[in-house]
């Protein structure tokens, strides 16, 4: 009995050792190159943003999942650990356009405290790769104090969890926004950029902005609804499935073209309403793959899926597309 108890305790200690949080560091290389190291081993981020179908994501060859808020992270962290998927844990900072008033000291303090407690709760997870503080807080914002909130949270992370880098996420990389990050957020180590068609110019635009460090493409994929032509009645023309897959195929190599880029996270792994029910979704509401997933699987090094996802190259009514000459 005593021998079996001793074996059981040893097993628990072994499991505890295996379940320790990784140490993730940023390494500056030759020139302006950077890379992430996980326990000393280089890691290029290959994954998607979402909160479901993690098994399929792993089988497709991805190594990371991005969340936007701690409610999402709490829901997936255990499954991510079991699949050995890294989690880029989002800390959602409320937007001014949604009513957040950061001139209110009470609101400021509550927002910071909430996220500091989330950091305390999640920082020991072996799945955690890095922190993403805020997402596009600059949109329709006039109050620069939101960046002070981000800095307060980022500084707390740097003090209490030096094993995981901290990132802030912006929409693409406008010079004025990058300037605000550089001025107000010295604790931020990585710039996260949500960029779709703009990915084709992101490296150039980042250099023009003056950002000196590494970056991660935190959302990328097919053209966004704000980037496409409209019909005569004002409706955005959504690319067909095959066109979206071709855009993924054309843009993915750009993630490896800039030595400062740490990788990318395709958008969106799951199913959500945004512009339309199908615009950004890599999966259907039943979890079926789109053609873009097969393209990503090829880049990520996963096993080819069988059968291949259906290709939808065109849709016409009375032999007419939504725009004259639309391919």
């Amino acid at each position: 009995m005593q021998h079996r108890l001793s074996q059981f305790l040893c097993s628990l200690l072994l499991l505890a050792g295996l379940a320790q949080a990784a140490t993730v560091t940023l390494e500056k290389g030759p020139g302006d190159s950077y890379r992430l190291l996980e326990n000393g081993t280089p890691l290029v981020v290959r994954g998607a943003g979402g909160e479901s179908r993690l098994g399929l994501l792993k089988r497709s060859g991805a190594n990371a999942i991005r969340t936007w808020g701690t409610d999402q992270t709490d829901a997936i962290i255990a499954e991510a650990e079991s699949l050995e998927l890294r989690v880029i844990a989002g800390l959602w900072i409320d937007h001014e356009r949604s009513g957040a008033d950061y001139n209110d000291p009470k609101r400021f303090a509550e927002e910071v405290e909430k996220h500091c407690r989330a950091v305390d709760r999640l920082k020991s997870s072996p799945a955690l790769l890095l922190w993403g503080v805020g997402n596009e807080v600059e949109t329709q914002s006039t109050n620069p104090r939101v960046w002070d909130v981000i800095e307060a949270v980022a500084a707390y992370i740097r003090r209490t969890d030096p094993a995981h880098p901290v990132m802030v996420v912006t929409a693409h990389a406008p010079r004025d926004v990058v300037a605000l990050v550089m001025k107000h957020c010295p604790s931020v180590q990585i710039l996260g950029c949500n960029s779709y068609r703009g990915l084709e110019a992101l490296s150039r635009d980042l250099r023009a902005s003056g950002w000196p460090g590494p970056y991660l493409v935190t959302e990328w994929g097919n053209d966004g609804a704000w980037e496409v032509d409209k019909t005569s009645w004002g409706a955005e023309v959504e690319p067909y499935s095959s066109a979206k897959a071709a855009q993924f195929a054309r843009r993915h190599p750009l993630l490896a073209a800039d030595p400062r880029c740490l990788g990318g996270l395709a958008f969106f792994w799951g199913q959500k309403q945004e512009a339309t029910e199908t615009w950004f979704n890599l999966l259907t509401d039943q979890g079926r793959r789109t053609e873009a997933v097969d393209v990503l699987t090829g880049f990520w090094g996963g096993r080819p899926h069988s059968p291949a996802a259906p290709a939808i190259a065109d849709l016409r009514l009375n032999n007419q597309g939504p725009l004259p000459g639309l391919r």
Side-chain angles (χ1 to χ4, degrees):
M1 177 66 179
Q2 189 174 22
H3 176 66
R4 287 198 299 273
L5 180 60
S6 176
Q7 285 184 319
F8 176 70
L9 291 173
C10 287
S11 297
L12 286 178
L13 289 171
L14 179 61
L15 287 171
L18 291 174
Q20 289 178 350
T23 297
V24 182
T25 55
L26 279 167
E27 181 180 76
K28 176 79 169 63
D32 59 359
S33 65
Y34 284 88
R35 61 180 183 173
L36 277 176
L37 301 177
E38 184 183 56
N39 293 331
T41 301
L43 183 147
V44 176
V45 175
R46 304 186 309 271
E51 56 182 324
S52 64
R53 314 283 180 177
L54 301 193
L56 177 58
L57 183 66
K58 178 71 173 182
R59 292 194 299 275
S60 299
N63 61 16
I65 182 85
R66 178 201 174 194
T67 67
W68 286 261
T70 51
D71 54 341
Q72 294 174 308
T73 307
D74 288 338
I76 69 165
I77 195 79
E79 184 180 5
E81 289 178 11
S82 69
L83 292 169
E84 297 185 345
L85 276 173
R86 288 79 170 179
V87 175
I88 296 165
L91 300 171
W92 183 264
I93 305 296
D94 286 341
H95 291 203
E96 183 181 350
R97 69 175 190 250
S98 300
D101 179 8
Y102 292 114
N103 288 323
D104 179 349
K106 184 172 183 288
R107 177 63 180 266
F108 188 113
E110 288 174 349
E111 188 82 350
V112 173
E113 176 67 15
K114 174 178 67 176
H115 294 304
C116 291
R117 298 292 73 79
V119 169
D120 292 342
R121 186 176 74 252
L122 294 167
K123 66 184 181 181
S124 298
S125 169
L128 181 64
L129 182 67
L130 56 91
W131 300 99
V133 185
N135 183 77
E136 300 185 5
V137 299
E138 72 278 7
T139 53
Q140 300 176 37
S141 174
T142 59
N143 189 348
R145 290 217 71 199
V146 68
W147 301 105
D148 297 331
V149 173
I150 288 173
E151 169 57 19
V153 176
Y156 182 83
I157 294 171
R158 296 290 298 274
R159 290 194 305 272
T160 63
D161 185 24
H164 299 103
V166 60
M167 169 179 73
V168 65
V169 179
T170 65
H172 196 67
R175 293 189 191 192
D176 58 337
V177 174
V178 174
L180 287 168
V181 173
M182 293 170 64
K183 178 181 179 180
H184 291 272
C185 306
S187 298
V188 166
Q189 298 161 280
I190 301 168
L191 186 65
C193 301
N194 296 339
S195 202
Y196 294 82
R197 183 184 293 181
L199 180 58
E200 298 174 20
L202 180 59
S203 177
R204 180 197 67 203
D205 291 348
L206 270 169
R207 293 185 188 281
S209 77
W211 176 251
Y215 67 95
L216 180 65
V217 184
T218 39
E219 292 177 19
W220 74 277
N222 52 266
D223 289 352
W226 60 95
E227 297 173 310
V228 299
D229 293 329
K230 294 184 179 182
T231 65
S232 59
W233 59 90
E236 296 88 356
V237 179
E238 181 176 349
Y240 301 119
S241 177
S242 293
K244 291 177 182 178
Q247 290 169 0
F248 272 90
R250 184 170 71 250
R251 291 168 186 162
H252 185 273
L254 299 173
L255 301 174
D258 189 335
R260 295 196 297 165
C261 183
L262 304 174
L265 297 146
F267 187 84
F268 173 76
W269 192 263
Q271 211 281 336
K272 69 191 294 284
Q273 169 74 35
E274 190 164 339
T276 70
E277 288 189 355
T278 55
W279 200 294
F280 291 109
N281 300 323
L282 290 164
L283 307 173
T284 71
D285 56 355
Q286 297 175 325
R288 293 173 179 161
R289 292 171 285 108
T290 63
E291 196 175 353
V293 171
D294 290 350
V295 168
L296 288 168
T297 299
F299 284 120
W300 291 341
R303 293 184 179 181
H305 296 291
S306 182
I312 302 175
D314 198 1
L315 184 65
R316 292 177 176 268
L317 180 63
N318 294 333
N319 203 32
Q320 294 182 18
L323 291 175
L326 182 70
R327 291 186 291 172

